[in-house]
Every structure is written in C-alpha cells, then in structure tokens.
Amino acid sequence: MIELVWLIPILPLLGFLVLGIGNNKISKSIAGIIACGSILGAFLIVLSLLIPMLNGTLQATTISYFEWISTGKISLSFSFLVDPLSIVMMTIITGVGFLIHLYSAGYMSHDEGMTRYFAFLNLFVFSMLLLVMGANYLVLFAGWEGVGFCSYMLIGFWYKNQNYNDAAKKAFIMNRIGDLGFLLGMLLILQTFGSLEYSAIFSNTSNIVPNSNLIIAITFLLFIGAMGKSAQIPLYTWLPDAMAGPTPVSALIHAATMVTAGIYVIVRSNVLYNLAPATLEIIQFVGIATALFAATIGLVQNDIKKVLAYSTVSQLGYMFFAIGLGAYSTALFHVVTHAFFKALLFLGAGSVIHAMSGEQDIRNMGGLSKKLPITFITFLLATLAISGIPPFAGFFSKDEILAHAFEKSPLLWGLGLVGALMTTFYMFRLFFLTFFGTFRGTEDQKHHLHESPLSMTIPLAVLALLSTIGGFIGIPEVLGGNNWFKHFLTPIISSTHSESHLLSHSTEWILMGLSVGAVLLTIIITYIVYVSKKSIPSPDHSSEGVVHKLLSNKYYIDEIYESIFVKPMYQLSQLLHQFFDLKIIDGIVNGFGLTVNKTSARLKSIQDGSLGFYLFAMVGGIILILIFNTIL
Amino acid sequence: MNNFTQLIAPNLNNYIILCSILFTIGVLGVLIRKNIIIIFMSIELMLNSINLLLTAFSVHHGESSGQVFVFFIMAVAAAEITVGLAILVMIYRNTGSVNIESLKNLKW
Amino acid sequence: METALLIALPLLSGLLTFLFQENKAKQISFLISIATFINALYLAFNYCSCTLFNYDLNLNWINSLGIHFHVAVDGISLILILLTTLLVPLILLSTFQSPIKNAKSFYFLILAMESALIGVFTARDAFLFYIFWELALIPIYFICLIWGGENKNKITFKFFLYTLAGSLFMLLAIIILYLNNPARTFEIEQLYQVGRTLDFGTQAIIFWSLFLAFAIKMPIFPFHTWQPDTYTTAPFAGTMLLSGIMLKMGIYGVIRWLYPMVPLAFDFYAHYAIILSVIGIIYASIIALMQKNLKRMIAYVSIAHVGLISAGVFVGNEEALQGAIIQMFMHGINVVGLFFVIQLIFERTNALDMTSLGGIRAKAPLFTLFFIIILLSSVAVPLTGGFVGEFLLFVGIFQYHEIIAAVSGLTIVFGAAYMLNSFQKVMLGEANEKTENFKPLHLTEKMLLIPIVALIIIIGVYPKPFLKISEPAVKALIEIANSTIPLNH
C-alpha cells in the first residue's frame, strides 16, 4: 500500500478542485458526498498503512517524487515520509477530519456557500496532510502556509461580515509573524546542515555543540513558528477571534489539527531540541504560562465558543509544557486525546448553537439536556475527559504531563494542577449553564429547539466513544498498562532521561489521587454554584470587581497590541508617506528641477526682449572680446 | 599709379583717423539713437568707414584686392538694406512706430 | 540571425498596423505579439545548453568607433525574453475591453517597445545596449504622455528626465570603460576584462554611475519617487509595461553589466546597495499599508518586491541570483496580474479608491478565485510561483548576512497585511452601489487571467525547468565575477 501514499493528500486536493471549479453546478448534497468521500478514501489508505505499521511489517519510509527547488548548493525534493509520527497525525487528520466533514454536511446544509465551504475544508485537509507527511522542512512549510491560508478563508467564510474578515486577517497576519520565525529557522538549518531533509539533519547532529548559540537559535526560531500556529503567548490572540468561522471549522482547524502543528514540528525536531535545553526551558515556561493565562480568561467568558477557544489555548499550553519537560510522546499523546474531546466539545457546541438558531451566549441557554439528549450525553463525556476524570481519555494524557512536571519540580506540578482545576471549573460551568437549570432564551428559540440530524449526531457519538476509550492507547505502567503509545513513537524520539519515569509507583499513585480528588472537588463546587444556587453570570456592563473586569476583557491584550503595534504602524505609514516620501525624498528630486528653473528665471530677466539692449550687449561684447584679445 | 601712391602715403594716418571717427560715430549712433532708420543709417556709416579704410590700405599696399572687397561689401550692403528696410516697413505697419523701444518681443 | 529577427519582428511588423483601419489595430498587433511569442518559444525549445550563448550575431556597425551590432541569447536573456514576449500579448489583451484613441499609434508604440526591450536583454555590445536602453524609454514616454490620466504632463516629464539622467551616468561609465579598452571596442567580454584592471577609484566611479542608472530604473529607495506617480497616471497598459517588464531592465543591468564588471568596487560597495534595497523593502511595505488608491498601493508593493530582488542580486551568490531571475519572471507575471485585476475593477466601477469598493466577491466568484491566486503568489505562499524566487532569495541573502535576511523577511508579514487589507476592502463585505452590478468576466479577460494563474501554479509546483535554463549562465557570471582580480589598487 505504500505506493499509494501520494493518493492520501491528492484525494482531498481532487475534492477541492472538483468543488472549486464546479462551484455553481454542484448541488449541496453531491458536494457533501464528494468532500466526505475524498476524506474517507484518504482515511482508508491511512488505515491500510497504519495497520502494517502497528504490526511492525512496515518500516519508516521516505518516498521522493520530484526535485522541487534545486540550484547551487541546495537541492530540495518534494518527498513524503511515512513513520509512526506522521501516521499518528495522518490518522487524526483524516479520521477526525472525516467525522467533521460528515458533521458539516448536516451543520452547513442551510448555508448557500456550502460547496465553497467544502472546497476549502478539503484544501485544508490537503495542506494539513502535506504538513505532516513532508519529509523535509520545505514541504512541511508548504503545508504550514497552506493551512494558514485555508484557516484565513474559513474564518472569514461569511465574508459579508467585516468583523469576521478582520478576525481572519488577524489570524493570517499573526501566523505570518510566526512563519517568519519558522522560515528563518529553516534558513539557519539549511546553512548549518546543508539540507532540509529530516533524515540528513537528524543524523548529522554530532558536530553540533549542545546548548550552543547556533542550536538555540535554530530551535527558538522554529518555536516562534510554533507559537504563531499553536497560539502561544504572545501570539495567541488570533485563536479566540478565529471562532468567527463556522463551528465545524473551529473543531477541525482550531482545535484538533492545525493548532497542533506547532507541537508536531517540535516533536518532529526533537533531536534538535534535545541539544538545546535552554530552548526547552523557554518552551516549558511559555507553555505553562499560556496554560494558566488562557484558563483564567476562560473562567469568565460567556460565549460558548470563546470558552472552548481559551480552553484550546490553555490545552495547547499544556502540550508545550510537556514538550518543555522533554516528554515529547506525552505531548503527542495529549494532542491525540485533545483532538478527540475538543473536537467533540466544539461539535457539541455547534449542535447547541444549531438548535438555538445561532445563539452563542450561555447566559441565554440552560435546561437543554432534555431537548438535546445525544448532545447532552456526548458533551458530558467530553467534559469529563477534558477535566481528567478516569478512565476518560484526557485523564491519561494529563496525568502523564503532571507526573513529568512533578519529576522536574513539585512547584510545576502544582501550577499544572491549578491549570487543570481551572479547566474543570470553566468546563463544568459551561456544561451546567448550558444543559442544567431552566431555559433562559427567547420563546422563539424555545419553540425551535431540536436535536440535530443524524449526520451530526453520528460524529458526536463516534467522538464520544473515542474520548472515552482513546486514553487506553497510553495506559501508564503504574496502572498496569505498558504505555503502548510511547513505544510506538520510540523510533522517532531520541531518548532522553525524562522520557522514562523516575517516580516510584507509590508517588504516582499519590499524585494521581490528589489530582483526581481535587478535580472532583472542583466539580462539586461548580455544581453548587451553578446548579444548586442557580447563579447566572451577570450581564455585560454591570458593575464587577476589578479582577473580573480584567479577566472578561482578556487582560486588555488586544487593546495593548492595538495601541503598541497596529496604530503606531499606521501612523508611521502616514508619516513616511506624507512627510518623508512626498516632502523630503521627492522634495530633493523636485529640488533639482526647481533649481534649474530658478536659475533660468534669473538668467531670463537679462533677456528682456528689448532690441536696443541686445544691440548694446552685442557691441559691448565685441569690445570686450577685442580688449581680451589685446590683453591675452 | 606710383605717383598717386606717393601722394597718399604720408596721409594714411589721416585716413585711419577719419575712418575711426566715422566708425565710432556709427557705433554710437547704433547704441544711442532710438529711431530704427537712424540706426540703420549708422550701420551704413560704419560699413562705409570700413570701405574707405579698405580703399586706403589697398592704395597703400598697391594691392587691388581691397578695392574688390569694397565692391562686394557695397553689393551686400545694398541687399541687406533692401531686406532690412522691408522688415522695418513691416515693423512700422505692425507697431505704428519706428522706435526701437517698441521692439520688446524678442524673448521666449 | 534568429535574435535579430526576434528584435526586428515586433517593430517592423508593427508598422503594418498603420496600413489597416483604426479598429483593426488591436487584433493585428495582438497577432504580431503572439507571433513574436511563438518565435521566442521556438528559440527556447531549440536552445542548446551545450554553449552558453546561442543565436549569436556579430556585425560591424560603426567601424571607426569599434561598435558592433552584437546580440546573443543566454539563459538569463532567454528567461527575460520569454517574460517580455509573453507579457506583451497579455498586455495587449488587457486593452481589448476599453476603446482607445489613436489606436494605431498606441499599439505600434507597445510593439516598438517590445523590440527595444528584447534588444536590451540580448545586446552584447555596450553601445548597442545603451541605444536599446534609451529606445525603450521613448515609446513608454509617449504612451504615458498621450494616454495617461490626471496630471500626466508633469509626471511623465519627471519620469522621463529622471530615468534619462540616470542613463547619462550609465553612458559616462560606458565611455570610461571604452577609453580604457586598448582594443577600442564596446564588446562586453572585453569590457569585463577592462573593468577589473582599473584602479579602485575608477571602478568606484563606474560602479556608482551604473548603479544610479539601474537604481532609478528599478527603482531602489531613495530613487523611487517617480514611480508611484507614474504608475498611477499611466494608462493600465503602460503601467503593466513599466512594472512588468521595464523595471527588469534595471535588475538585468545589475546582473549583466554591474555585477561582473567592476569586482573591486562591487565587493566594497555592494553592502551599501543591499542596505538601500532592504530599507526600500520595509519603507515601501509600511507606506503600502495605508494607501487608498489601488494603483498607488501596488506601486509601493512593487518597490518592496523589487527591493528584495535587488538585494539578492547585490548579494550575488548562486542561490540569490537564481532566485532573483526566477523572481523577476514571477514578479512580472504577478504584477501584471494585479494591475489587470485593478483595471477590471476600474472598468466596472470607475473607482480606484479601495475604501469606496467592497462586496465584489459575492458578485464574481471566478474573478475572486483568480484574484486570490495572484494575491497568494505575490505574498509568496508555497506552491505558487512567488514562493520559489523569494525562498531562494532568502537563502542567498541569509548566507550573506543573517540580520539582513531577517529584516527583509519582514516582507512576508507586511505583504500579508497590505494585500489582505486591500483584498478585504475591495472584495469582501456587502456590495455597495458601485459594485452591485459587477459584471462577470469576459472571454478576453479570462484569456488573460488563465495563463497568468496557470503559470503561477506551474512554476510554484515545478520550477525546475526555469531554474535549469538560467543555471549555466548564472554560474558563468559568478565565475567571471570571481575570476582573478589584479591586486594593483
């Protein structure tokens, strides 16, 4: 089956081309079939590779197709790499991608732009596959930019609304800032190793001095790229705004796949990162800071998608935290489980929004559990999973991260736990406010409440199943498993001390118990606040405490960026144009012309047109010539 | 011929002085007078002073070429006066005056 | 002989347009330009990489001064000839939808310009090069002057004088080289030899003289102020000629005439030229952020893009030069595409101010698709043509200096900002009374946009043939530039 690898990205690309070219002529249902079919086809091929990879009959393979950019010293080919890491990512992208496509067929069925929607969704899957399948950084970069572009098109999908377009633009530009870092990192790699092929780079690191400026620069530049794509401080503000896109887009791009590309890049480059502990320290710091920072904002948001968005930022922070601890496979494990439960949460939120005719404010919801039973149950499972309740998927990955943190220092473990508790709090707050209590929306909305169609509930059910059992691929030794997932990834992760547990089983048991207990306690508190006491978040503009105001305004980060970067840039632009360009530079150029003009005006006055003066000048001239001739 | 030469020879200085005076009068006339006809006449005076000088030197050196030149100059001067006076008439018709001050349009 | 034919074909057959009626002129000239393109394609397919210079033609012209009519085609020339002969038919096509006064003269001037441009790209004799260089200026001057817009007299005059002044410096440099050439010819190969034997001071004079001429043409900051005005005032076809092809004359000049000519001065002063180029990138990008007039915005964008190319050329390693050459080609395609998009919008809405537009996307989906692809290429998204050149340029510049590469890399951030800004203002949002009746694309408009978009994607995915064409020529130039430098300064 390995010969068919090229079909995996080509199928979605074909889907894009067919849908894109036949935009007007294809009916909605056919568009849905084409889009879902192409992804399903790709998924089946991925499965046919995954199974032999699991059996061990398929080894990591690089397939080179053609020379892409080659001149002088550089020779970059268009090639794919199939190994455990890329297979895991491909499985998520095509698998979760297929479910979300299926869901979209129901969710977007009322939208006139459905064909266009599916076209870009397919293009996104193509780009994302390119990103994870590339065997060198350049192909990865092609996918990297491609997903950024698709994200732009899909965030601004309802392009008549300029606010959405602003959000899309912001996402693209912020990503591009990261891309610049990534590009420079690539250039530095190319200069250092003379190649961008993974195989050539990772096997050639013997000359690199660990923790030298060079390797720190390379890894840090790549990390800047990851910050942009995976929404880490300081480049995270685009992700909450990106919720302007249709909800399935948020699920696919801004939760399950694209935003994890940054983690993928670093895990892929783990050989380099192991040589740069200083960068890992930075990543660890940025990761935990983002995790906590975003979680605090999430505590007070009232838009159902915004809560999930900040939750995503926070969870991504967790993944970087894990990477910073050197636990690459754990980070990837969390990527996998997060893809399941966060996609499910977004799709569930989409189902709720669908039922509420577009309403996104949780203060206007409530009591939906009876009207939307399937959504309710699946949402509950996902919430349990993200909170880290055993045996749901999130428990295993989060617990592993916390265990690694404790190895490093108990303080980090504490911070991680605080983040987890905040996550639990805002997720259950969201859950209780949405599904419990009494309905607080308008009569019109109440009348219209309905469970979503089958094409939407089936993906919910499948993802709920995965969120429940997905963690079993990585049961740690202490619980009697053998952490199969980690073993699967061993070939691509260069061993470091922190990959293997140093903690004794008893310590692990204690930690686990502590965190689960704290989480349960948080759930109970949340239950008391939002269900027993029925407290509802106050409406906007009401008088609130300073902290609450700070949080609900997201620490005013957007405003700060606006006044530090955006406005000065526009002012500078005006200044440069109006003053520097037109007055100074063009003034100098025109000055040359003006000088000639002025001189000629002076000389012109001599030539006043009077014949008498001309005669006089002529005679005077002759006399002068005579005099000069006699003298000289 | 020789006699005439001898007759004139000691007086060459006188001719030169006379011609210089005539030429200067011509130049001053051109520079000072405003009437274009007078200016023309002054130009003629300058030409004729030169003619006289050429003739004198021709006799002095016993060469005939100087006198040939005089004939040429007279012919050219006649032609020049014809054209010049014609222009002058046109100027008078256009501006109604022969004052040189009225000719102020010779500029860009 | 083939080269001379290629040069003469548009000019001579362009005279044919005068034999026909006014309304036939565009078809006739279009056919001529297509014939020229086919001719160029024929040359490209028969191009033999066995020798560096194909289709060499060397005739005595003015014997007493040692001036030859010497033209030949190498890889770099070939790319630019292909660009010229491809863009001219497209530019002619762009004029099909709107009536033009004095059509015969207009089309003849465009064809005449094509001849002169091909001449510039093939000349191997400095004097001939100078002649073609100036010849190319005359038609575009009249095109801008006669068919231009608001304030055309003053702006065209400034443009003409400015570039002419630059060319005079080039003439000075050529004369210095000639006078130092014991063989008393203008042959480029000999001038290469002459240039490197000169002392440093003379080399410096030659360097800066040539630099001025080329920098004004491109234009490099701070010699750019003629350009936004001229682009804005010129008719669309003129703007496309100027930005698509004519500014490549400057870059080509640097590659062919400056880079290998005076190695000592180049090594010493290239740094300053690179810094100017990079300042230009940032400077023009920042200004482009706030431009309201679409033409003026693209003018500044073009300065930014050209700044990157020129920085690469002055860096002068193989990656950068190769990147510069392919980027010259792609920049031509992109910028003509962008200006055509603007022209389309202008013809339908009579507006160039982007704030007064909006909502076109809903009215013209196909047009939007074309626009997006051209836009992606101009912001250098991978798998579009714009990426290949820009990446190679970055690789080259990065080898020269990391910080300079990082600063010039900001162009990818700014590029996204100004392009998406204008895209959003023009295409997205609700339609207003100007854009409400936006008509779909005509056949001729599709005929123009499809080749552009196809090339963007083809070169983006598979640039190898293009890179291979210019590779030997670039290698040869680098070899000349690095050949033994006499140490007698």
Side-chain angles (χ1 to χ4, degrees), chain A residues 68 159 166 176 573 581 586, chain C residues 158 224 283 286 300 424 429:
Chain A
W68 187 11
Y159 56 79
D166 286 338
R176 276 243 151 173
S573 171
D581 208 45
D586 210 23
Chain C
K158 179 172 164 185
H224 65 275
Y283 178 82
I286 291 177
Y300 278 109
Q424 180 181 347

Side-chain angles (χ1 to χ4, degrees), chain A residues 23 66-74 76 78 116 120 126 130 138 141-142 145 149 152-153 156 159-160 162 165-166 169 172-173 176-177 179-180 183-184 186-188 190-191 196 569-570 572-574 576-577 580-581 585-586 589-590, chain C residues 158 162 221-222 224-225 283 286-287 289-291 300 318-319 322 361-362 372 376 379-383 387-388 391-392 394-395 398-399 402 406 409-410 412-414 416-417 420-421 423-424 428-430 460-464 467-468 471:
Chain A
N23 193 357
F66 56 86
E67 258 188 339
W68 187 11
I69 299 178
S70 73
T71 184
K73 290 188 287 292
I74 64 171
L76 300 164
F78 202 97
R116 185 164 54 90
F120 282 117
F126 163 73
L130 217 55
L138 199 66
F141 189 65
E145 292 272 23
F149 165 66
Y152 168 76
M153 294 310 287
Y159 56 79
K160 288 185 179 170
Q162 289 290 20
N165 293 329
D166 286 338
K169 190 171 69 184
F172 194 75
I173 292 170
R176 276 243 151 173
I177 296 172
D179 294 353
L180 175 59
L183 180 69
L184 291 172
M186 251 170 40
L187 295 176
L188 198 54
L190 187 61
Q191 201 177 33
L196 286 177
M569 191 53 83
Y570 282 134
L572 181 66
S573 171
Q574 284 288 20
L576 284 184
H577 182 235
F580 200 70
D581 208 45
I585 297 183
D586 210 23
V589 174
N590 290 337
Chain C
K158 179 172 164 185
Y162 206 158
F221 172 89
H224 65 275
T225 49
Y283 178 82
I286 291 177
I287 290 182
L289 281 175
M290 280 296 271
Q291 293 303 312
Y300 278 109
E318 190 181 340
E319 289 83 5
Q322 280 279 61
R361 185 174 176 185
I372 289 176
L376 288 180
V379 299
V381 168
L383 299 178
F387 175 72
V388 181
F391 179 73
L392 285 173
F394 282 136
V395 172
F398 196 85
Q399 287 173 17
E402 289 88 350
L410 284 174
I412 69 167
V413 178
F414 283 123
L420 293 186
N421 222 346
F423 181 75
Q424 180 181 347
L428 307 180
E430 295 281 357
V461 177
Y462 198 60
K464 196 173 158 190
L467 292 170
K468 282 279 169 288
E471 195 168 354

